[in-house]
Amino acid sequence: MTRSLASHPHTTSRLALSELAPGAMQSEIRAMTTECDRIGGINLAQGVCDTPVPAPVEAEAIAAIRAGHNIYTRLDGITRLRQAIAAKQQRDYGLAYDSETEVLVASGATGGLHAAAMALLNPHDEVLLFEPFYGYHVSTLKSMRVKPVFVPLAAPHWELDTDALHAAITPRTRAILLNTPANPSGKVFSRSEIEAIADVCREHDLFLFTDEIYEYFVYDGTRHIAPATLDGMRERTIVLSGFSKTFSVTGWRLGYATADAKWMAAMAYFHDLTYVCAPSALQHGAAAGLEQLPPSFYTQLAADHQSKRERILAALRHAGMEPTVPAGAYYVLARASRLPGKTAAEKARHLLAATGVASVAGSAFFRHGHGEDLLRFCFAKRDADLDEACARLRRL
Ligand code: PLP
C-alpha cells in the first residue's frame, strides 16, 4: 500500500517533504482565479489591476529591450531607478535615502519583504500583524519559521485597539508588519494610530516593516502617512513598495525597499540569492514613470479608483451585501450573510456560479474560524469589466 509522505511527517525516509511543505496551500485567491477562468467569469478576486500601463512606462521598457538592456543589473538595481526612488521618497514624504546604499530595487514588494525578513529576522522570532491580514505576509514569515502573531482590528471599521497591540508583545517580538493602505480592509491607518504603533516600536526596540504598495490609492481626501517619517522611526523602518499597482504592471515583478544603510547591504545580499536582480529592461520603464509622470497622474489614479469604488459599493448594497467603505487600496469587504453556504469559500463559489463574478472568501484574511461571513471584491478593473460585474451583482 502506498502512503503519502506528506501525511506522515514522522516517516524515517529521507525522501520527504520539508517540515513546512505539508502546511503550504495554494492561496484561495489563486484558486478562485483558476475557477473563474474555467467558467469565463469576471475576476474580482485577484488584485491583478488590468488598467492601462502609463505611456512612458510602457515605451521606455520596450525601448530598453531594443537598446540591449537585457542582462543582469547591479544586485540592488540600476542607478537611474535607485535615484528616481530616492527622489520620490524625498518628494512625497521628505524622507532622505542615499540611492547608493539605502535603496533596493526588488522583484516586487513581495521580493523586498522576503529579502528583508531573511536579513533581519531569525527562526522563532515573533512578528505582529494586523488582522485582517494579507496572506502573503503571513506565509512569507512562516516560510522562514518566523511566528506571525495577530492583532485583531475591530470590525466593521477596523480600528486599532492599542491595548491588544501592547498585549501581543512578548520577549520574542522582533517586529511589527504594517500594511497601509491595507489589503483587504481598505483601512488607511491614521496619524494617531501610526503614532501608537511607533510608540510600541520605540518602547520595545522593534523593527517596523511597512508595506505601502497602495500609497497612492487613497479616497475622500484621506492622506497616506509614511510611518518612517515619525520621530525616531526612519532607522527602524523597512519601507516596502512597488510599481505593480501604481503603474498597473503586476506581472513585471518590480518593486523596492528603502531602509537605513545598516540593514540594506544584507537585504540586497538575500535578494540577490533568490532573484539576482529585478527584471533589467523593465527597471528603465519604472524609472521613466517616476521621472516623467506629473503629480496629476497620481491624483487622477486616486480619482479614477474612487469612482470605481463608488460603483461597486452601490452594486453591493443593491445586492444586499453590505460593504465596509474602504478609505484606501482597491478592495471592498462585504457581508455575505444572504448567500447560501456554511463557509465564505462556499459563498464565494455560489456567487461565482450564480453571477460569474469571482470574489475571495473573507476567511483567507483571518485566522481559522473568522471571516466566514465576508467576501472581498477587487475594483481595480477596466471600467467595462467592472460595470458588467456590477450589473451582474445587481441582478443577484
Ligand atoms: N502587498 C500587498 C498588501 C498586496 O496586496 C500585494 C498584491 O496584491 C502585494 C504586496 C504584491 O506586491 P508586488 O506585486 O510588488 O510583489
Side-chain angles (χ1 to χ4, degrees):
M1 193 171 87
T2 52
R3 285 175 169 178
S4 154
L5 287 177
S7 59
H8 292 83
H10 301 303
T11 176
T12 52
S13 171
R14 294 180 186 202
L15 298 184
L17 294 170
S18 76
E19 288 167 7
L20 293 172
M25 287 180 304
Q26 178 180 225
S27 90
E28 182 61 17
I29 302 176
R30 282 195 185 276
M32 279 308 283
T33 296
T34 308
E35 187 58 18
C36 180
D37 290 347
R38 195 179 63 76
I39 68 155
I42 304 177
N43 189 359
L44 303 192
Q46 205 168 12
V48 284
C49 184
D50 57 9
T51 43
V53 179
V57 176
E58 185 179 276
E60 287 231 14
I62 294 168
I65 291 173
R66 297 214 168 107
H69 293 295
N70 301 305
I71 57 174
Y72 301 135
T73 70
R74 209 174 103 162
L75 83 167
D76 50 358
I78 62 170
T79 302
R80 176 184 175 197
L81 181 52
R82 278 182 287 101
Q83 286 176 347
I85 292 165
K88 169 233 172 282
Q89 295 294 63
Q90 180 73 53
R91 176 197 71 201
D92 288 351
Y93 308 117
L95 282 169
Y97 290 104
D98 178 351
S99 63
E100 276 298 304
T101 56
E102 299 188 315
V103 178
L104 168 67
V105 178
S107 286
T110 308
L113 174 62
H114 191 268
M118 287 296 287
L120 305 174
L121 300 174
N122 295 311
H124 313 302
D125 282 349
E126 294 180 3
V127 173
L128 270 46
L129 299 105
F130 299 99
E131 181 191 50
F133 48 74
Y134 171 57
Y136 267 71
H137 290 160
V138 176
S139 304
T140 299
L141 295 174
K142 282 188 177 166
S143 78
M144 287 167 199
R145 296 170 163 81
V146 170
K147 185 179 170 196
V149 173
F150 301 98
V151 179
L153 299 169
H157 299 296
W158 314 114
E159 285 109 6
L160 174 67
D161 174 351
T162 43
D163 292 339
L165 177 58
H166 282 277
I169 302 280
T170 78
R172 286 204 170 276
T173 312
R174 289 285 315 286
I176 299 177
L177 200 170
L178 172 66
N179 175 212
T180 184
N183 174 9
S185 64
K187 176 181 175 66
V188 181
F189 283 73
S190 67
R191 180 171 287 280
S192 64
E193 288 174 324
I194 295 175
E195 289 281 5
I197 294 167
D199 282 346
V200 171
C201 289
R202 286 182 296 246
E203 185 184 334
H204 296 278
D205 201 20
L206 307 177
F207 280 112
L208 180 63
F209 295 87
T210 63
D211 180 337
E212 301 178 47
I213 192 112
Y214 298 104
E215 60 194 315
Y216 297 116
F217 295 83
V218 282
Y219 313 122
D220 306 320
T222 307
R223 279 182 68 85
H224 167 63
I225 308 289
T229 57
L230 272 62
D231 271 358
M233 290 307 291
R234 182 193 179 283
E235 179 200 8
R236 58 179 74 250
T237 303
I238 312 299
V239 181
L240 304 158
S241 193
F243 307 106
S244 285
K245 316 289 175 175
T246 310
F247 295 160
S248 311
V249 290
T250 50
W252 283 16
R253 311 311 310 128
L254 206 53
Y256 57 87
T258 58
D260 194 276
K262 276 189 287 211
W263 322 121
M264 194 45 100
M267 287 168 56
Y269 170 82
F270 283 108
H271 189 270
D272 180 18
L273 274 190
T274 314
Y275 302 101
V276 182
C277 65
S280 170
L282 307 183
Q283 293 187 46
H284 291 265
L290 288 180
E291 290 160 0
Q292 294 171 31
L293 292 167
S296 60
F297 167 79
Y298 301 95
T299 43
Q300 194 57 48
L301 186 70
D304 289 347
H305 283 79
Q306 183 165 329
S307 142
K308 292 178 198 291
R309 180 192 70 163
E310 297 316 314
R311 278 177 277 163
I312 187 137
L313 288 174
L316 287 167
R317 287 190 186 112
H318 192 271
M321 290 189 276
E322 193 47 41
T324 302
V325 178
Y330 50 52
Y331 307 94
V332 187
L333 284 173
R335 290 260 152 236
S337 331
R338 64 153 297 197
L339 296 174
K342 283 195 293 296
T343 63
E346 285 177 18
K347 289 169 190 280
R349 278 168 181 75
H350 173 87
L351 186 69
L352 180 61
T355 63
V357 174
S359 58
V360 186
S363 48
F365 311 101
F366 292 83
R367 280 166 292 178
H368 185 67
H370 298 267
E372 297 293 2
D373 192 30
L374 295 171
L375 295 179
R376 190 200 73 173
F377 296 83
C378 169
F379 55 85
K381 306 296 292 181
R382 291 175 198 273
D383 282 336
D385 293 336
L386 183 66
D387 289 341
E388 174 59 24
C390 289
R392 289 179 185 200
L393 289 172
R394 282 170 182 277
R395 287 198 294 271
L396 184 68

